[in-house]
C-alpha cells in the first residue's frame, strides 16, 4: 500500500508565503476589519461599550506566525459572528497593555480572552487554563463554534462553558507557575 | 316488546359538519352543543377577558380624549375579534377615534350578538364590548372642546362623527389653511392655479396640508380633486410640510399645544414598540441595563462617563488565584500597589545612595515561593472536618 502523499511537502515555503500574504492582507484590511488596541483606555472602552455581545480579545504580536494564522481566522469570521460577538486585537508589545498581560496571566501567545457584559467568561477545553484560549484555531468554524457556545452560555447565565471542539483540535500547552 | 325495543334503540348521535371554533381554535363536529363544553367555556372567558382589556384602553380614551400624533398612528391599532377587522388609526386626529366609532357602530353590535349567540352560552356580557351612542356623543363634545381650546395653533378641527359626515375647517393665522364651504362640497370648482406637477401628484385630500388629518373615506364622492381658493399655496412665511418646516404644534414660538404630561399619558397608553426581550438572568444583565442608560445619557450630553479611572480593571478569574473573580481582582490590585510602593522605595533609596554614597542595600527580598501540591476542595473539607 502506498504511503499517503504529504500535502505540504514544501511546508516552510508555503508558510512563509502565507505569512507574507497574511501580513499584506492585514495591512490593507486592519483598519477596516479588526481594531488593534495598544492602550489600556482603549481596552477599557471596548469592554465597557460591548453590551450583550461576546468580546473576543486576542493578545499577541504581528511578528508571531501563530498569531498571524489566528488573526486570519478572526478576520474571516468577524463578520459571521458580528451579530453576537465583537473581535479586537491587542498588541502585547505596547507598554500600556502590560498591566492586562499580567492581570490575565498571559504567558503564551497568542491568547484569546472572552468577555460578556464586562464579565470574564471561562472556557473549559480540557486544558490546564480555563481562563483563556491559548493558541490558534484549526479552522474558521471552530472559532465560530466556540464563540457561539460562549454566547449561549452567557445568555443562560453561565460564566464557564464547555468547549465544543474535539480534543485533537485543541492546542496543547504546558502551564508553568513562574517558570517552575 | 316492540315499544321496549324502540326505546332501547338509542337515537344515533347526530354528527354535524365540521366547523371551526374561533375560540378553541380547532375544528369540531359537535355542532351547537360545543359551546356548552367546559373547556370551551374556559377558553371563551379567557378570550373575552383579553378583548375586554383592549376595550378598557379604548374606553380610557373615550373618557379622556387626546390628540394622536402622526408618528404614533401606526402603533394605535386594535383588532376587533367580533368583526375580524383591524382598526388602524390612520388619518385620525384623536387617539382611538376610529376604534370608538367602530365599537359604537350598529354593525359591530350585530357581530357581537352573533358571536355570543354562536359561541357563548349567555348574552349578558354583550354590553361590555359595545360603546353606546351617548358615550360617543360626550366624547365628540369633549373633542370639539379640546380642539377649540387649541384653535390658535395651526391644527384644523376634525369632527369624527361619522353619522353627520361633515367636515369643518377652521382658518388659522399661522399656517395656511384652505377654507371649504360645506355647501359647495358637491360643486366642482374651476382650477384657480395653473396645473403643475405638484398639484397633479398631490391632487385630492393632501392638498389641504399635512396638518389637517383628513380621512378620505369620510368625504363624499366628488370632493376628491378640490383645489384651494383665495390664498396662495406657498405664500405663507412659516412654511409647510413641503418646504420642510416643522409642524405647528412643535413650533416653540407658538407654544406646544400638548403638555408634557399629556404626551407621557398618551405614550403610556399606546401599545409599546415590540423590543427583543433578553433573558434577565443572562451574565451581566444588570450591568448591561445600567450601561445602556449611561450611554443614552452620554449621547444626550447629560452625564459624563464615570469609568474614567485609569486603574479600573474588569473582574477576571485569574489562573493561580482561588476565590471569586472580584477577589482575584482585589488581590491583583494589592500586588500592583505593593509593586508601586517597592518601586518608589527603590527610587528613593537610589537617590539617597547618590547623596550619601553608602554601601548598596538589597531592597527587594522576594519571599521564597513555596510550592505546595494541589489539594482538592473535597480533600480540604475532609481534613478540616477531621
Amino acid at each position: 500500500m502506498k504511503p499517503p502523499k504529504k500535502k505540504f511537502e514544501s511546508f516552510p515555503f508555503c508558510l512563509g508565503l502565507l505569512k507574507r500574504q497574511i501580513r499584506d492582507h492585514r495591512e490593507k484590511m486592519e483598519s477596516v476589519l479588526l481594531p488593534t488596541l495598544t492602550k489600556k483606555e482603549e481596552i477599557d472602552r471596548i469592554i465597557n461599550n460591548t453590551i450583550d455581545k461576546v468580546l473576543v480579545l486576542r493578545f499577541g504580536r504581528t511578528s508571531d506566525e501563530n498569531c498571524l494564522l489566528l488573526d486570519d481566522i478572526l478576520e474571516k469570521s468577524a463578520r459571521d459572528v458580528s451579530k453576537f460577538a465583537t473581535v479586537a486585537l491587542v498588541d502585547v508589545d505596547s507598554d500600556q497593555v502590560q498591566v492586562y498581560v499580567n492581570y490575565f496571566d498571559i504567558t503564551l501567545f497568542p491568547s484569546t480572552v472572552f468577555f460578556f457584559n464586562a464579565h470574564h467568561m471561562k472556557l473549559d477545553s480540557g486544558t490546564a487554563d480555563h481562563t483563556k484560549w491559548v493558541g490558534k484555531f484549526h479552522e474558521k468554524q471552530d472559532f465560530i463554534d466556540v464563540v457561539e457556545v460562549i454566547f449561549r452560555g452567557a445568555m443562560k447565565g453561565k460564566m464557564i462553558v464547555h468547549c465544543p471542539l474535539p480534543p485533537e483540535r485543541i492546542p496543547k500547552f504546558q502551564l508553568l507557575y513562574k517558570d517552575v | 316488546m316492540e315499544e321496549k325495543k324502540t326505546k332501547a334503540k338509542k337515537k344515533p348521535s347526530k354528527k354535524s359538519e365540521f366547523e371551526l371554533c374561533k375560540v378553541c381554535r380547532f375544528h369540531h363536529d359537535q355542532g351547537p352543543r360545543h359551546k356548552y363544553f367546559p373547556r370551551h367555556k374556559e377558553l371563551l372567558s379567557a378570550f373575552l377577558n383579553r378583548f375586554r382589556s383592549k376595550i378598557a384602553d379604548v374606553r380610557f380614551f373615550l373618557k379622556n380624549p387626546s390628540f394622536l400624533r402622526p408618528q404614533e398612528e401606526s402603533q394605535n391599532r386594535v383588532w376587533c375579534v367580533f368583526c375580524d377587522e383591524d382598526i388602524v388609526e390612520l388619518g385620525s386626529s384623536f387617539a382611538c377615534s376610529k376604534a370608538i366609532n367602530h365599537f359604537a357602530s350598529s354593525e359591530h353590535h350585530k357581530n357581537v350578538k352573533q358571536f355570543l349567540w354562536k359561541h357563548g352560552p349567555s348574552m349578558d356580557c354583550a354590553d361590555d364590548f359595545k360603546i353606546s351612542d351617548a358615550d360617543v356623543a360626550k366624547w365628540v363634545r369633549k373633542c370639539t372642546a379640546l380642539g377649540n381650546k387649541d384653535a390658535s395653533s395651526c391644527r384644523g378641527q376634525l369632527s369624527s362623527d361619522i353619522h353627520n359626515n361633515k367636515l369643518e375647517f377652521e382658518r388659522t393665522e399661522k399656517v395656511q389653511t384652505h377654507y371649504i364651504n360645506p355647501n359647495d362640497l358637491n360643486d366642482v370648482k374651476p382650477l384657480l392655479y395653473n396645473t403643475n406637477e405638484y398639484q397633479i401628484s398631490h391632487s385630492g385630500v393632501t392638498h389641504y396640508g399635512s396638518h389637517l388629518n383628513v380621512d378620505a373615506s369620510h368625504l363624499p364622492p366628488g370632493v376628491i380633486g378640490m383645489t384651494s381658493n383665495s390664498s396662495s399655496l406657498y405664500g405663507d412665511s412659516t412654511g409647510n410640510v413641503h418646504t420642510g418646516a416643522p409642524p405647528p404644534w412643535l413650533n416653540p414660538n407658538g407654544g406646544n399645544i400638548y403638555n408634557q404630561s399629556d404626551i407621557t399619558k398618551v405614550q403610556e397608553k399606546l401599545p409599546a414598540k415590540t423590543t427583543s426581550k433578553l433573558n434577565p438572568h443572562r451574565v451581566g444583565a444588570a450591568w448591561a441595563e445600567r450601561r445602556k442608560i449611561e450611554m443614552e445619557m452620554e449621547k444626550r450630553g447629560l452625564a459624563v462617563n464615570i469609568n474614567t479611572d485609569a486603574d479600573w480593571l474588569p473582574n477576571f478569574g485569574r489562573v493561580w488565584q482561588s476565590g471569586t473573580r472580584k477577589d482575584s481582582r482585589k488581590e491583583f490590585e494589592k500586588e500592583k500597589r505593593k509593586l508601586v510602593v517597592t518601586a518608589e522605595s527603590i527610587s528613593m533609596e537610589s537617590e539617597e545612595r547618590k547623596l550619601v554614597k553608602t554601601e548598596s542595600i538589597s531592597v527587594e527580598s522576594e519571599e521564597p515561593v513555596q510550592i505546595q501540591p494541589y489539594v482538592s476542595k473535597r480533600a480540604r473539607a475532609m481534613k478540616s472536618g477531621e
Side-chain angles (χ1 to χ4, degrees), chain B residues 53-72:
Chain B
S53 63
K54 288 184 191 173
I55 288 226
D57 293 338
V58 174
R59 280 190 207 280
F60 171 83
F61 283 107
L62 185 72
K63 287 175 190 167
N64 310 302
S66 55
F67 289 108
L68 180 66
R69 284 192 290 180
Q71 52 262 39
E72 283 155 3

Side-chain angles (χ1 to χ4, degrees), chain A residues 40 44 48-49 51-52 100 102-105 116-117 119-120 122 129 131-132 154-155 157-159 177, chain B residues 278-279 281-284 287-288 291-292 295 307 310 312 314-320 325 329 332 371:
Chain A
K40 184 185 179 289
D44 293 347
N48 279 310
N49 292 346
I51 298 174
D52 294 331
Y100 273 120
N102 295 329
Y103 182 39
F104 294 163
D105 293 322
F116 187 85
N117 281 342
H119 285 63
H120 171 225
K122 292 191 179 180
D129 190 353
T131 64
K132 56 183 86 65
M155 290 307 271
K158 313 279 180 198
M159 297 193 78
Y177 179 65
Chain B
L278 292 170
N279 183 4
H281 299 298
R282 68 188 186 281
V283 170
W287 177 88
R291 188 76 190 119
K292 277 180 196 168
M295 284 169 85
N307 286 334
W312 177 83
N315 288 343
F316 186 86
R318 299 185 77 195
V319 180
W320 303 108
R325 288 172 168 85
R329 178 174 61 86
F332 178 76
I371 300 165

Side-chain angles (χ1 to χ4, degrees), chain A residues 116-177:
Chain A
F116 187 85
N117 281 342
H119 285 63
H120 171 225
M121 293 296 296
K122 292 191 179 180
L123 178 70
D124 182 4
S125 48
T127 56
D129 190 353
H130 296 177
T131 64
K132 56 183 86 65
W133 175 272
V134 177
K136 59 184 191 294
F137 290 95
H138 188 251
E139 54 180 33
K140 216 174 91 172
Q141 192 56 45
D142 290 352
F143 170 69
I144 294 171
D145 290 344
V146 164
V147 173
E148 188 190 333
V149 155
I150 289 171
F151 181 74
R152 282 183 189 278
M155 290 307 271
K156 288 182 185 170
K158 313 279 180 198
M159 297 193 78
I160 182 163
V161 295
H162 284 284
C163 181
L165 305 178
E168 53 268 16
R169 290 206 177 170
I170 299 171
K172 301 282 181 291
F173 58 91
Q174 212 172 8
L175 205 62
L176 302 170
Y177 179 65

Side-chain angles (χ1 to χ4, degrees), chain B residues 9-24:
Chain B
K9 266 188 192 174
K10 283 182 186 174
K11 272 187 183 176
S13 57
K14 259 188 183 178
K15 282 210 170 180
S16 50
E17 286 175 4
F18 271 95
E19 55 183 336
L20 171 69
C21 175
K22 242 197 310 187
V23 176
C24 305

Side-chain angles (χ1 to χ4, degrees), chain B residues 48-325:
Chain B
L48 294 177
N49 283 338
R50 279 198 298 270
F51 195 67
R52 257 194 209 101
S53 63
K54 288 184 191 173
I55 288 226
D57 293 338
V58 174
R59 280 190 207 280
F60 171 83
F61 283 107
L62 185 72
K63 287 175 190 167
N64 310 302
S66 55
F67 289 108
L68 180 66
R69 284 192 290 180
Q71 52 262 39
E72 283 155 3
E73 276 175 7
S74 56
Q75 294 171 13
N76 196 348
R77 57 202 304 171
V78 178
W79 175 265
C80 179
V81 293
F82 301 110
C83 311
D84 283 335
E85 208 179 292
D86 193 19
I87 307 159
V88 189
E89 301 291 334
L90 289 173
S92 323
S93 52
F94 292 95
C96 294
S97 64
K98 284 197 182 172
I100 289 165
N101 289 317
H102 172 85
F103 292 135
S105 64
S106 54
E107 207 183 300
H108 173 74
H109 292 191
K110 194 176 118 193
N111 287 331
V112 167
K113 278 185 194 166
Q114 214 174 353
F115 182 92
L116 290 173
W117 176 81
K118 193 180 173 190
H119 295 282
S122 67
M123 304 279 279
D124 301 340
C125 53
D127 291 329
D128 293 346
F129 307 106
K130 297 178 197 173
I131 293 176
S132 61
D133 290 337
D135 289 337
V136 174
K138 276 187 206 169
W139 176 76
V140 167
R141 263 181 266 133
K142 282 185 190 171
C143 288
T144 48
L146 202 65
N148 286 335
K149 269 186 205 173
D150 304 318
S152 58
S153 70
C154 313
R155 202 173 170 83
Q157 183 68 29
L158 176 68
S159 164
S160 57
D161 190 353
I162 57 166
H163 301 296
N164 293 332
N165 212 9
K166 265 188 192 174
L167 297 165
E168 289 177 298
F169 299 97
E170 290 180 359
R171 172 163 267 179
T172 61
E173 288 173 4
K174 286 193 179 179
V175 171
Q176 201 64 40
T177 57
H178 309 293
Y179 179 70
I180 297 155
N181 192 349
N183 298 325
D184 297 333
L185 281 173
N186 291 324
D187 296 341
V188 177
K189 293 255 174 195
L191 279 175
L192 296 172
Y193 301 98
N194 292 328
T195 304
N196 57 20
E197 282 182 5
Y198 169 75
Q199 282 185 339
I200 288 165
S201 61
H202 291 85
S203 64
V205 177
T206 54
H207 259 303
Y208 307 124
S210 65
H211 59 277
L212 302 169
N213 290 321
V214 178
D215 188 3
S217 60
H218 291 288
L219 294 171
V223 172
I224 294 166
M226 280 182 65
T227 56
S228 62
N229 50 9
S230 53
S231 27
S232 63
L233 279 171
Y234 311 112
D236 197 60
S237 58
T238 54
N240 54 24
V241 71
H242 308 296
T243 57
W249 55 86
L250 292 179
N251 193 355
N253 299 327
N256 279 339
I257 53 171
Y258 305 113
N259 292 327
Q260 196 57 39
S261 58
D262 290 339
I263 293 167
T264 48
K265 272 183 199 168
V266 167
Q267 279 175 341
E268 275 163 29
K269 277 292 162 185
L270 287 172
K273 283 180 196 172
T274 52
T275 52
S276 60
K277 285 187 182 174
L278 292 170
N279 183 4
H281 299 298
R282 68 188 186 281
V283 170
W287 177 88
E289 297 306 316
R290 265 184 279 124
R291 188 76 190 119
K292 277 180 196 168
I293 294 166
E294 272 172 32
M295 284 169 85
E296 250 183 76
M297 288 171 75
E298 276 168 36
K299 269 186 197 172
R300 288 179 203 168
L302 292 171
V304 182
N305 192 1
I306 298 163
N307 286 334
T308 50
D309 188 14
D311 295 330
W312 177 83
L313 288 169
N315 288 343
F316 186 86
R318 299 185 77 195
V319 180
W320 303 108
Q321 269 77 36
S322 61
T324 61
R325 288 172 168 85

